[in-house]
């Protein structure tokens, strides 16, 4: 025991608390994020003042107060909730489909060389097509209703997930696999206990990228012709010359995108808590 | 048993074959009369790097190989292994929070917890600084004296091989061959500065030197004088 106690003392100083890097991180995590609010708030207040003083024509570029008022009015009438529900539903369904397909095919091409040789070139070719270019043919094939919209979103979500998972499995640390072999893990146990956790960091980044693209493509999808949804609200605002309505729906997009992304970050921070050992956990 | 030799002579490959990680082109590895062609529960392995799963705590890492055991047995074995390597208070830490020496001790605990009768060590301390390395060597000698598994240690550190082994095999050439065996029956714990120790060290050095001498026809750079600072630097 005496030798092990001595060993504890002579271990190299690890990245444990007290490290200057950690200290800086803590300070930034406190109120530092408020700094980022200064510029947008100043611009908003400045423009508001400019409109009030009559320096600016407010018909095409409404002041923040009008945008917020429109937003509140839409929310109060229940109309905003209806549009958000429609858009969220499409994004959710497309996201689930895209993630499922990307995960299955990414795992397949990452694991099996034959599948990679067979499938990967085609996916790489398809990936280079701007996804908006699919819109006309999707409408022809799947109609102008929900199916074509959901599929377009799924296509957008698919590629980042597929690419990241396939690459993460290919670049997996052989050394950890060998540890699994030394302990005679079965194929299934190797996947569950080594492969899956090792690819999770890349996978979560891909989920965030995929979700971002999902929000992007839902707008394109709803431009194809929709009777409800935030994308419809955008085109409606354009047709009726209602700038506050356009900006209010943009605001809604920003809030929803941020909130859903934050949800993934929350989950990933928990699942990947072993990664941020540089940040204090308690 | 220690195996020393110049880099590239196949020491590690030999160990990887013995562990069952790598296949054979000829010959065989026997454990109690049975051939080894795949990883075996009686054979534990520690690599040059700790190779801990970064997503598992130290406790979970140590328990990695004994999933099949009942929970209570698992618990007591892991507790004991952690205590033996002095990491009890770090059981809940993540590998990224540990220093190199501590991580390598966790890796040693992971191999010990399966209670193998043969422990293969592939340059286990070569990535550590000199102080930590000497401490871990002491520690390994302590651990060995408890239940005395057969340990095969591959290293390029002659002093480490002598400090820990009863037999030191000198490997050399390409393809590698065992060219000499040096026995060391000094009492433990061994004094690294003792006269006999130093004499044995010189003997092993001479064997290694010999191998370089035989290859020196290739170029003037591989002079016998050139290998001595290299070897002693590693041993320091």
């Amino acid at each position: 025991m005496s030798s092990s106690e001595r060993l504890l003392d002579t271990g190299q100083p690890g990245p444990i608390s007290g490290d200057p890097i950690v200290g800086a991180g803590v300070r930034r995590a406190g109120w530092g994020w408020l700094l980022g609010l200064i510029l947008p708030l100043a611009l908003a207040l400045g423009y508001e003042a400019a409109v009030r003083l009559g320096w600016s024509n407010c018909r095409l570029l409404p002041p923040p107060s009008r945008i917020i008022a429109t937003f509140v009015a839409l929310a109060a009438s229940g109309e905003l909730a209806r549009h958000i529900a429609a858009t969220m539903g499409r994004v959710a369904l497309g996201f689930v489909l895209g993630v499922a397909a990307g995960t299955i095919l990414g795992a397949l091409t990452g694991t099996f060389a034959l599948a990679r040789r067979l499938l990967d070139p085609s996916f790489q070719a398809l990936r280079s097509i701007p996804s908006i270019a699919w819109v006309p043919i999707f409408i022809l094939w799947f109609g102008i209703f929900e199916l074509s919209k959901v599929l377009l979103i799924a296509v957008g979500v698919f590629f980042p997930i597929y690419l990241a998972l396939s690459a993460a499995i290919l670049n997996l640390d052989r050394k950890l696999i060998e540890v699994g072999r030394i302990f005679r893990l079965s194929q299934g146990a190797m996947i569950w206990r080594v492969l899956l956790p090792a690819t999770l960091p890349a996978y979560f980044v891909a989920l965030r990228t995929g979700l971002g693209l999902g929000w992007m493509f839902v707008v394109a999808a709803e431009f194809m012709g929709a009777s409800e949804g935030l994308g419809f609200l955008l085109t409606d605002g354009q047709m009726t010359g209602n700038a506050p309505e356009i900006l209010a729906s943009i605001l809604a997009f920003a809030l929803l995108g941020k909130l859903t992304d934050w949800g993934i970050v929350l989950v990933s921070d928990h699942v990947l808590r072993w990664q941020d050992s540089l940040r204090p956990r308690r | 048993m220690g195996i020393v030799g110049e880099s590239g002579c196949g020491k590690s490959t030999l160990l990887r074959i013995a562990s069952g990680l790598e296949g054979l082109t000829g010959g065989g590895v026997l454990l109690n009369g049975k051939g080894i062609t795949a990883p075996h529960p009686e054979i534990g392995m520690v690599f040059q790097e700790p190779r801990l799963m970064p997503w598992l705590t130290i406790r979970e890492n140590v328990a990695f190989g004994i999933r099949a055991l009942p929970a209570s047995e698992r618990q007591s074995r892991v507790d004991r292994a952690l205590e033996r390597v002095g990491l009890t208070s770090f059981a809940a830490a993540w590998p990224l929070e540990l220093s190199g020496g501590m991580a390598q001790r966790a890796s040693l605990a992971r191999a010990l917890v399966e209670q193998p009768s043969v422990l293969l060590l592939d340059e286990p301390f070569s990535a550590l600084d000199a102080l930590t390395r000497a401490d871990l060597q002491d520690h390994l000698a302590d651990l060995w004296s408890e239940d005395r598994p057969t340990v095969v240690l591959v290293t390029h550190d002659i002093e480490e091989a002598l400090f820990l082994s009863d037999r030191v095999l000198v490997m050399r050439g390409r393809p590698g061959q065992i060219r000499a065996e040096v026995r060391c029956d000094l009492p433990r714990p061994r004094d690294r500065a003792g006269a006999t120790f130093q004499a044995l060290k010189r003997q092993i050095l001479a064997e290694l030197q010999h191998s370089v001498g035989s290859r020196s026809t290739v170029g003037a750079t591989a002079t016998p004088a050139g290998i001595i600072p290299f070897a002693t630097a590693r041993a320091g």
Side-chain angles (χ1 to χ4, degrees):
Chain A
M1 197 57 216
S2 66
S3 74
S4 48
E5 274 165 9
R6 187 151 36 98
L7 276 164
L8 281 181
D9 293 336
T10 52
Q12 301 147 2
I16 302 169
S17 60
D19 194 301
I21 303 167
V22 178
V26 173
R27 274 195 298 281
R28 263 202 306 278
W31 298 99
W33 58 277
L34 286 175
L35 285 177
L37 286 178
I38 293 178
L39 184 65
L41 275 181
L43 285 176
L45 289 175
Y47 189 66
E48 185 76 42
V51 172
R52 295 276 160 99
L53 293 169
W55 293 347
S56 172
N57 175 358
C58 61
R59 202 181 68 80
L60 289 180
L61 186 46
S65 57
R66 285 237 350 250
I67 299 171
I68 292 168
T70 310
F71 190 87
V72 170
L74 279 169
S77 69
E79 214 180 326
L80 189 66
R82 185 169 64 90
H83 292 302
I84 284 179
T87 300
M88 284 276 274
R90 287 169 188 140
V91 172
L93 205 56
F95 185 69
V96 167
L97 282 178
V99 167
T103 305
I104 293 169
L105 288 163
L108 214 61
T109 55
T111 314
F112 302 107
L114 181 66
R116 185 163 57 253
R117 297 227 182 92
L118 212 59
L119 301 174
D120 194 58
S122 306
F123 284 131
Q124 296 297 344
L126 287 175
R127 189 172 72 94
S128 59
I129 300 171
S131 301
I132 309 290
W134 291 110
V135 170
I137 199 75
F138 271 35
I139 291 177
L140 280 184
W141 287 344
F142 307 115
I144 55 162
F145 299 109
E146 290 307 300
L147 185 61
S148 57
K149 294 183 179 63
V150 168
L151 285 179
L152 185 72
I153 296 164
V155 166
V157 175
F158 170 81
F159 284 107
I161 307 277
Y162 166 80
L163 276 181
L165 189 60
S166 185
I169 295 175
L170 269 180
N171 299 329
L172 204 67
D173 194 350
R174 313 312 299 175
K175 292 174 173 175
L176 294 184
I177 300 272
E178 278 185 0
V179 173
R181 287 181 56 206
I182 282 287
F183 289 110
R184 305 165 307 282
L185 294 191
S186 65
Q187 194 87 33
M190 189 74 97
I191 292 174
W192 179 246
R193 296 180 59 196
V194 182
L195 207 132
L196 187 81
T199 49
L200 272 183
Y203 192 68
F204 270 108
V205 173
L207 283 182
R208 294 181 65 185
T209 316
L211 186 65
L213 283 173
W215 282 112
M216 216 155 119
F217 282 94
V218 78
V219 180
E222 288 177 347
F223 278 175
M224 301 191 313
S227 53
E228 55 183 4
L230 289 172
F232 161 77
L233 215 53
L234 286 175
T235 38
D236 184 64
Q238 185 198 353
M239 302 296 186
T240 57
N242 188 348
E245 187 176 285
I246 297 178
L247 289 166
S249 33
I250 286 177
L251 188 64
F253 268 123
L255 289 175
L256 286 176
K258 188 70 200 164
L259 275 176
T260 47
D261 183 61
W262 190 51
I264 296 185
V265 170
L266 273 186
V267 175
S268 101
D269 273 357
H270 178 73
V271 174
L272 304 178
R273 61 195 183 283
W274 53 270
Q275 267 197 328
D276 49 36
S277 50
L278 281 177
R279 271 185 258 155
R281 283 175 293 128
R282 284 171 281 269
Chain B
M1 182 169 79
I3 302 176
V4 294
E6 51 189 337
S7 50
C9 74
K11 309 184 291 288
S12 290
T13 309
L14 184 65
L15 209 63
R16 291 171 60 84
I17 291 171
S19 72
L21 277 180
E22 247 164 71
L24 283 166
T25 51
V29 179
L30 295 182
L31 175 70
N32 299 330
K34 289 197 178 131
I36 297 292
T37 49
H40 191 277
E42 286 295 320
I43 303 178
M45 176 105 172
V46 176
F47 298 93
Q48 185 173 354
E49 322 82 12
R51 301 199 183 182
L52 301 172
M53 307 290 156
W55 53 88
L56 299 179
T57 62
I58 295 307
R59 155 171 289 279
E60 290 162 342
N61 261 294
V62 172
F64 188 81
I66 51 169
R67 265 290 184 85
L69 295 177
S72 58
E73 166 81 4
R74 215 159 58 210
Q75 175 99 14
S76 66
R77 279 210 202 181
V78 171
D79 284 341
R80 195 171 132 60
L82 284 171
E83 195 194 312
R84 285 176 74 185
V85 299
L87 285 177
T88 306
S89 53
F90 288 87
W94 302 108
L96 290 175
E97 297 172 308
L98 261 58
S99 69
M102 284 154 76
Q104 193 58 300
R105 274 187 285 148
S107 168
L108 195 58
R110 180 176 63 188
L112 287 172
V113 83
E114 227 187 353
Q115 300 173 349
S117 57
V118 179
L119 190 56
L120 307 175
L121 308 175
D122 185 7
E123 305 190 16
F125 311 135
S126 63
L128 305 173
D129 63 88
L131 263 178
T132 313
R133 192 187 318 162
D135 253 334
L136 273 174
Q137 289 166 1
D138 289 346
H139 198 64
L140 183 62
D142 280 356
L143 287 175
W144 174 81
S145 65
E146 283 177 43
D147 44 23
R148 306 199 164 218
T150 304
V151 176
V152 181
L153 169 74
V154 157
T155 179
H156 46 224
D157 181 339
I158 298 171
E159 200 166 291
E160 177 172 286
L162 266 178
F163 184 73
L164 293 167
S165 323
D166 298 321
R167 297 161 63 199
V168 178
L169 303 183
V170 178
M171 212 172 155
R172 65 182 193 227
R174 247 177 256 241
Q177 285 178 314
I178 306 290
R179 289 300 177 85
E181 174 178 343
V182 176
R183 286 190 172 269
C184 176
D185 46 15
L186 290 169
R188 294 166 193 274
R190 288 173 184 162
D191 176 11
R192 291 184 176 88
T196 323
F197 193 93
Q198 290 298 325
L200 286 170
K201 188 173 158 186
R202 274 194 297 276
Q203 192 188 336
I204 296 173
L205 261 174
E207 292 291 347
L208 279 169
Q209 223 172 309
H210 200 239
S211 70
V212 175
S214 68
R215 292 181 348 131
S216 64
T217 45
V218 181
T221 45
T223 58
I227 195 78
I228 297 169
F230 163 76
T232 43
R234 291 294 190 175

